[in-house]
Amino acid sequence: MKIKSFVKKFLKYLVLFFVIGNISCSDNIHINKTLDTLPTIFPDYTNVTIPYNIAPLSFKLIDSAVYTKIYAIFENDMQQMEIKAKNGQFSIPLSSWKKLMKDAAGSTISVTIQAKDQDQWISYPAFQIFVAPEPVDSYLVYRLIEPGYDIWNEMGIYQRHVEDFHESTIINNKRTGYGCMNCHSFNMQNPEKMLFHLRASHPGTIMINGDKIEKLNTNTEQTLSALVYPSWHPSGNFVAFSVNDTKQIFHTTDPNRIEVFDFASDVVVYDVNRHEIITSTLLNSNSIFETFPSFSPDGKTMFFCSADTFPMPHEYNKLKYSLCAISFDPESCTFGTEVDTLYNAKLNDGKSVSFPRVSPDGKYLMFTLSGYGNFSIWHKDADLYIIDLQNNKTTPLSTLNSNDVDSYHSWSSNSRWVVFSSRRIDGLYTRPYIAYINDAGEPAKPFLLPQKYVDFYHRFMKSYNIPEFVTSKVEQNGFKLSEIAVNDTGIDVTFGGTR
Amino acid sequence: MKSFEKKKNIKPVKTEQQQYSVFFAKLNTPVVFGLFIFILLFFYLQKQLAFHFYYIEQEQLFLWSRAYFLSFIIKPAGLLQWLTEFCVQHFIQPYLGALIMSVILTAISILAAGIIKRIASTANLHILSLLPIVFLLYMHFDINYLYEGTVAYLLMLLVMYGYFCIGNFLPRIIYVTVSGILLFWCAGPVAFLFTVCVFLWEILNRFSKAFVFILPILLVAALAFVGVYTSLADNYRLLLLPDGYYTRQLHPGTEIYLSWVVLPVILLLCRLFSKRQHTGRKRKYAEYLLQLMSVAVLFGFTIEKFTDRSYDFFKEFNYYTRNGQWDKIIERCDEGVNNYLHLNFLNMALIEKGELAEKMFSFPQGGLQGLTVTWNMMPHISALQSDIYFSIGHIALAQRMAFEANVSMQNSNGAMLKRLVQTNLIYGAYPVAEKYIDLLEQTKYYSEWAHEHRRFLWNDYAVENDALLGMKRKCIPVSNTLIEEQNIHIDMEYIAIQNPAHQASIQYVGALFLLTKDILLFRELLEKHYGTDVLPTLPKSYQEAIIIVTEQDPSKWEQFNISEQVIQRYNEYKKQVLDNRGNAALPNLLKASFSDTYWYYYMFYKL
């Protein structure tokens, strides 16, 4: 009897709750005043271009404290969605967002914010969200690590389903002795062909090729170090790597805080099937630093960064890398005899190139330019540039760049989206921004990877490092990867000579 | 007759013996027993662990926000961690650490006593309920022990008490299975202890059906497998054993298992004595007394063995540092200085008081390590170095070490986050300073400080005119240099020249040369800066040192304004040295009168 009456009461209050809820969501709004400036919102989603398969863009109105009620009205030609702010934040339910996005590809969504200030309703001018016709790759893989000096604690490589808010672990360092793991890389956004390095404890390189997982010991007597910055050959048979004698040092005054530099570096190519490293005299010079190799999508060219050496670390700020290219024949695994320079750091405005990445359609190459050196993730002047590979014309991506670090970037498989690392929010913690690049290589305003809770980035104390798009989920299990990392003695990679 | 007595409210007169019996009967109640344990624990913990509690508080940062709560609730043992952090945040307040832990430990004891009473009411074993708290207490001295372990133990006993209240088989197995899973989700490894204890009890009591109770154990083990498989933990040890309540990267000592082992032992004893007949009161109290004495003796004999008190001073000095009680550090060092860490705190206190150059040799110094110990990447050393570098005005290193310490402590060290707010304000890195301020504003005990610092954001004028931040901002070198820690004296001299008002910087450089006995560099330093704003006067130790450098040329003493008193003392010192040439007892002879001089350090301290 008691249970019955309890259930009755519960249902009564439940109905009442929804009725009141609906009323509150259906305020009779009569706008008394329309403001003439766009609302200040975080993240800044005003006039951004997004893919239709992205997760809901929850945001907050910065000056929400002065209002008693706030609504955001999302509308396009077909439908309208009204979201009431809670504590100034608009949290859009996934299902409502999906409904809004269902047929929105190629269209524009108008967002109007209306707020009640004492007895008056005010309205901000509407801002637009442009929905691109092309989707973005559904997964984003990144490493999460503090932007620190020497010490790390827990770190790992994670994948985020960008169509919702689900993040899962590919591998973390809890089962690998809390060592460092870095430089994860995929072959043409393919989640089945992945590699990453383990450092400090259980060192080695983990190569994933479908169900086949190998651990490689990549130190050889003939090379400077274990393999470092990778780039897969599209055939999957080779991976270009740099080998670097790297150090880091700290500044007393410079806002960049940390300086990472090489005492020496070369570029090599690893033959996946023969477990062998080869190189070229043009990539292996003592008087030149070569680093950041990057294969073109047709596999016939390898781009890399190259700089004349200087005494390090004292002349660290004289080191400027040019963007170079050398041909590569995958059949014979040989390099060309000439190096082309696409961006000459000596001739131009004296800046330094890092992270060259070619779009999968082969049309554009995006890279980072900063004042000097190659570790641009710590350089506040680092900005993104694009080269049209048909005419070698270099253009700054001003729409993407900010006053702070804008650096590591990767393309989506359809060449229409890039994700890049930026420190524009607080100057220290790297966050992933996604931007649309049209067929003409022109960028649209980027947007911050949406999170379920708007304040997430404010609370979160780790950086998003090396964001890489992949077309679907990485299915390899962290447990299995850790087991191999810890227990496998690894395959010793050999040096096959200079070609 | 009865009704007459009631009406008149006349009570029968009790004999003295009866009165004692009533008193003891009352004493036996959980409330009185609990109160007694609580008071005992409170005074003990306050006396022994007051500074430990302050220190532990710095290893977590409880945020009063819904998002913070939700971030915990979605992960295994997250609720427990949230609850524990909620408790530990209050440790920053005097007495609250001892109070909260006394309440939790007392509750453990009461629940254990409740279970014993329920399953063996006539066995007179109630005092055994003190054993878990005795063993748990050992762990509370260890800075790497996570207090989740104690809170989890309490939750587990609560669930176990529920189990002993259920009589029928089916509800019992359902209860154990469901609560085992929930306990694993909410509190982690204690679920394994709970299910194993239940299985043991079922074996002892209802052997034929007991094996069904393997099911909850298997389920918990399966959950642990899932936990490891999904990388929530690096191994089963952390999900099934008390190791899960210890700093992850470290391995605890055997003492962490004692509180776990003792529980099945108590259950076993209860089973053995459960059929015992009621004993007389006298015998009962004698047995209680015997148990109490045994527990006390056990505690007394083992506490030293299972606890490491060598860092007690570190926690105490850390507290004084956090609260700027520099005199307390110096006072405590008057009682004796035993190691480099002692000296680091002492010299920092002297720097903060502006007395390093004047008084450093009043204490037995220990070379460069006594000024700043070698960085070993341990979080407490990183934090200490951040404090030292902040004191001497090397803001870049203070920031670096604060960051390193904070990362090592899961980004949850309130003191180091405060430091990062300071250093970023000093550098004018306002966005990231605001991030840390926002974070601290969500706490109970740091929010006021953080809010007060909000006024410095994007306000260079306010920063520059603040006594502390303004002074430290002037210490940032105008020209950037790369930090080479082996050459820190170069940075510090540069800072001293740039900001002569910040005397700590030049005092540090001077101390560094004196402690390493590099008197040529010291002389060079003095020749460059003596008489300038950087070094307007020569403190005592500097005068003593310059006498050594210029002994052959006393005319220089006038140039450096060496006081008559110092010269006279030096002559006495020299005389004693010459008079006792070849005497092995010379160091001791000089110690009485000259141990506070640089001459004594220079002559007898071996680098």
Side-chain angles (χ1 to χ4, degrees), chain B residues 159-171:
Chain B
V159 172
M160 188 176 277
Y161 188 84
Y163 158 75
F164 283 113
C165 293
I166 301 170
N168 297 333
F169 171 77
L170 192 61

Side-chain angles (χ1 to χ4, degrees), chain A residues 231-418:
Chain A
S231 172
W232 285 80
H233 189 271
S235 68
N237 293 326
F238 306 99
V239 187
F241 286 97
S242 64
V243 283
N244 311 61
D245 178 7
T246 304
K247 293 280 178 295
Q248 70 170 356
I249 201 160
F250 313 111
H251 295 282
T252 54
T253 309
D254 197 305
N256 289 341
R257 294 191 185 198
I258 294 174
E259 203 55 61
V260 181
F261 57 87
D262 290 336
F263 281 107
S265 68
D266 293 319
V267 165
V268 299
V269 168
Y270 168 70
D271 186 323
V272 171
N273 302 311
R274 296 162 65 107
H275 299 119
E276 186 182 81
I277 291 170
I278 57 115
T279 187
S280 155
T281 49
L282 294 170
L283 301 169
N284 192 26
S285 163
N286 287 334
S287 60
I288 293 173
F289 292 160
E290 303 93 349
T291 192
F292 293 134
S294 181
F295 276 117
S296 61
D298 63 6
K300 293 176 181 169
T301 308
M302 188 178 76
F303 299 93
F304 63 99
C305 296
S306 166
D308 290 342
T309 55
F310 281 93
M312 302 301 282
H314 297 291
E315 296 187 28
Y316 68 94
N317 54 3
K318 288 186 180 166
L319 199 63
K320 305 204 182 209
Y321 286 83
S322 297
L323 176 60
C324 301
I326 188 168
S327 61
F328 179 72
D329 178 8
E331 298 300 321
S332 59
C333 192
T334 53
F335 296 95
T337 53
E338 283 183 6
V339 172
D340 294 329
T341 304
L342 281 80
Y343 177 95
N344 192 331
K346 293 177 198 166
L347 296 180
N348 285 283
D349 51 0
K351 289 193 173 180
S352 184
V353 178
S354 53
F355 307 128
R357 306 294 299 270
V358 186
S359 60
D361 61 11
K363 287 184 176 174
Y364 300 102
L365 184 149
M366 195 181 282
F367 62 99
T368 306
L369 269 189
S370 60
Y372 60 86
N374 68 38
F375 216 73
S376 50
I377 201 72
W378 276 104
H379 291 177
K380 286 192 178 285
D381 64 345
D383 279 332
L384 295 166
Y385 284 70
I386 198 165
I387 293 180
D388 183 336
L389 291 175
Q390 282 155 338
N391 56 22
N392 282 356
K393 189 185 166 199
T394 301
T395 314
L397 290 168
S398 306
T399 314
L400 270 53
N401 294 325
S402 69
N403 292 331
D404 219 297
V405 181
D406 300 293
S407 183
Y408 192 92
H409 47 275
S410 78
W411 293 87
S412 70
S413 59
N414 60 8
S415 302
R416 289 287 73 83
W417 299 95
V418 286

Side-chain angles (χ1 to χ4, degrees), chain A residues 26-184:
Chain A
S26 322
D27 273 320
N28 192 8
I29 299 171
H30 173 74
I31 302 298
N32 304 97
K33 189 180 169 187
T34 302
L35 304 177
D36 51 10
T37 51
L38 280 178
T40 311
I41 61 171
F42 180 84
D44 180 9
Y45 290 141
T46 59
N47 304 329
V48 294
T49 300
I50 62 167
Y52 59 81
N53 60 333
I54 196 72
L57 303 186
S58 298
F59 62 90
K60 71 175 176 184
L61 185 66
I62 297 296
D63 50 1
S64 62
V66 297
Y67 302 119
T68 51
K69 283 179 185 170
I70 319 170
Y71 290 98
I73 296 135
F74 295 73
E75 53 191 330
N76 60 10
D77 295 340
M78 290 157 283
Q79 49 187 317
Q80 191 188 67
M81 177 175 74
E82 194 177 277
I83 303 292
K84 188 180 180 184
K86 202 174 173 188
N87 299 323
Q89 304 194 5
F90 300 98
S91 299
I92 307 165
L94 184 62
S95 56
S96 309
W97 177 258
K98 292 281 175 206
K99 205 173 148 193
L100 185 72
M101 287 290 131
K102 195 179 168 201
D103 300 310
S107 73
T108 299
I109 293 169
S110 167
V111 185
T112 309
I113 293 179
Q114 297 171 338
K116 193 177 182 186
D117 179 7
Q118 293 170 346
D119 294 333
Q120 287 204 323
W121 280 92
I122 59 111
S123 176
Y124 286 91
F127 64 84
Q128 316 301 319
I129 294 175
F130 305 105
V131 186
E134 301 91 345
V136 71
D137 289 340
S138 54
Y139 278 83
L140 184 65
V141 177
Y142 40 78
R143 179 174 70 148
L144 294 177
I145 183 176
E146 287 89 356
Y149 298 76
D150 271 320
I151 289 181
W152 66 84
N153 198 333
E154 284 180 19
M155 74 162 80
I157 300 169
Y158 302 85
Q159 55 186 334
R160 161 77 188 272
H161 189 213
V162 299
E163 297 177 6
D164 56 33
F165 300 108
H166 188 250
E167 182 189 81
S168 57
T169 309
I170 295 176
I171 184 171
N172 64 28
N173 65 353
K174 287 181 188 172
R175 284 184 54 76
T176 57
Y178 289 89
C180 179
M181 47 185 61
N182 57 21
C183 297
H184 57 275

